[in-house]
Amino acid sequence: MTDAPPSVRELRLVVTADDYDEALRFYRDVLGLPEQAAFSSPGGRVTILDAGRATLELTDPSHAAFIDDVEVGRRVAGHIRVAFQVDDSTAVTAKLAAAGAEVIAEPTRTPWNSLNSRLQAPGALQLTLFEELDD
């Protein structure tokens, strides 16, 4: 690792949602991601939501299958899965389910000491909600 400043300043995940209004309502209004900016083009719209600190997690297929097995009990994720760290994964899972997300797996304690749930959400995204546990 070098002392040079990072060349990347922000990770922005861009999701094309067929039902833009539903995806915006879900991620901004229900999950609570603050609106950072919004733009429009002839016949189109985009909204940038602040999701806090971003990281890029790379995994090989074997470890991805292990994560799915721990969180869900079987392989379910596709090429991309979005993970949000939350303060209370049980409460946020219930809140997102009430807003239309499909719960794939209720919160489960993982070997890496977090409480993770899995949901299918608007914009065709599979979500992991994770709460870091102290003990």
Side-chain angles (χ1 to χ4, degrees):
M1 188 139 197
T2 67
D3 290 334
S7 59
V8 175
R9 300 285 179 218
E10 178 180 351
L11 170 65
R12 186 171 291 177
L13 177 66
V14 180
V15 176
T16 301
D18 289 335
D19 190 339
Y20 173 86
D21 292 320
E22 171 60 14
L24 182 60
R25 180 196 69 80
F26 183 85
Y27 293 102
R28 183 190 60 197
D29 303 337
V30 179
L31 185 57
L33 302 179
E35 188 171 312
Q36 196 172 43
F39 306 97
S40 62
S41 60
R45 299 173 287 162
V46 63
T47 302
I48 300 168
L49 303 174
D50 184 352
R53 185 178 71 94
T55 60
L56 177 61
E57 181 176 325
L58 301 174
T59 184
D60 63 24
S62 178
H63 193 76
F66 174 75
I67 293 169
D68 277 4
D69 189 51
V70 167
E71 293 182 2
V72 181
R74 67 188 189 288
R75 185 75 172 119
V76 293
H79 177 71
I80 294 177
R81 175 178 48 85
V82 178
F84 291 107
Q85 182 177 4
V86 297
D87 291 332
D88 184 339
S89 61
T90 302
V92 177
T93 298
K95 180 179 179 181
L96 297 186
E102 175 192 342
V103 176
I104 298 169
E106 294 290 341
T108 301
R109 190 179 193 123
T110 68
W112 45 92
N113 205 32
S114 62
L115 193 61
N116 294 18
S117 65
R118 190 72 69 89
L119 302 103
Q120 187 66 39
L125 288 178
Q126 195 168 107
L127 306 181
T128 291
L129 300 179
F130 67 101
E131 173 186 349
E132 297 295 358
L133 302 173
D134 295 328
D135 291 316

